[in-house]
Amino acid sequence: MISHNQKEALIQAAAAARQQAYAPYSNYPVGAAILTEDGRIITGCNVENASYGLSMCAERTAVFKMVSEGGQQRIQAVVVCTANGGSPCGACRQVLTEFAGDVPVWLTDAAGNIYETTLYALLPHHFGPEHLTK
Ligand code: THU
């Protein structure tokens, strides 16, 4: 169960992470924050590159940080913060699905609006690790 305080902290963390974005080419900074099942908040921002295709999204940055920092790896909620309420790209939806069930995804914008959806609403009929077990 996610408390009101946890949700607020997650939203604040995503907004703060957005300030760290390196997005000189798109000028579309994105911040993400994930809440692990053991209560940690891990953030990410998009990191672009002069070779555009090498750019990394905020959500995947956060997931890769979660794994590389060690510890518990299940995600219980996600917040994405953009200027205009943008939604995670398909690649990020798939990567999130590796570590999360049908968890809440809150899309927030710079004005403070919050739109709630879920990971399976964003990625129906996902392909997950369960499909690779015998
Ligand atoms: N971006 C993200 O960080 N997350 C998404 O899910 C959508 C797109 C970034 C990638 C790129 O740096 C910028 O937003 C514009 O596409």
Side-chain angles (χ1 to χ4, degrees):
M1 185 63 195
I2 301 162
S3 71
H4 177 74
N5 283 352
Q6 280 178 311
K7 180 180 173 183
E8 288 303 312
L10 205 57
I11 290 169
Q12 291 297 322
R18 181 168 173 262
Q19 300 301 317
Q20 305 301 325
Y22 178 75
Y25 307 108
S26 70
N27 291 310
Y28 192 75
V30 183
I34 55 184
L35 179 66
T36 60
E37 285 188 352
D38 63 359
R40 289 173 299 136
I41 289 176
I42 297 168
T43 61
C45 63
N46 52 336
V47 182
E48 297 184 345
N49 194 274
S51 178
Y52 295 174
L54 301 183
S55 299
M56 179 51 62
C57 292
E59 300 90 327
R60 277 178 288 160
T61 300
V63 170
F64 298 156
K65 280 174 65 184
M66 175 189 75
V67 173
S68 63
E69 288 173 5
Q72 198 272 346
Q73 295 184 342
R74 293 299 294 174
I75 295 168
Q76 63 167 324
V78 180
V79 171
V80 181
C81 181
T82 63
N84 55 5
S87 192
C89 79
C92 290
R93 296 175 193 202
Q94 177 65 28
V95 169
L96 286 163
T97 296
E98 184 77 17
F99 301 102
D102 192 19
V103 300
V105 179
W106 289 295
L107 307 177
T108 67
D109 66 21
N113 296 303
I114 301 170
Y115 173 79
E116 178 167 345
T117 183
T118 73
L119 190 54
Y120 288 178
L122 292 172
L123 190 65
H125 308 291
H126 69 278
F127 182 77
E130 66 274 21
H131 295 112
L132 295 177
T133 58
K134 290 177 190 157

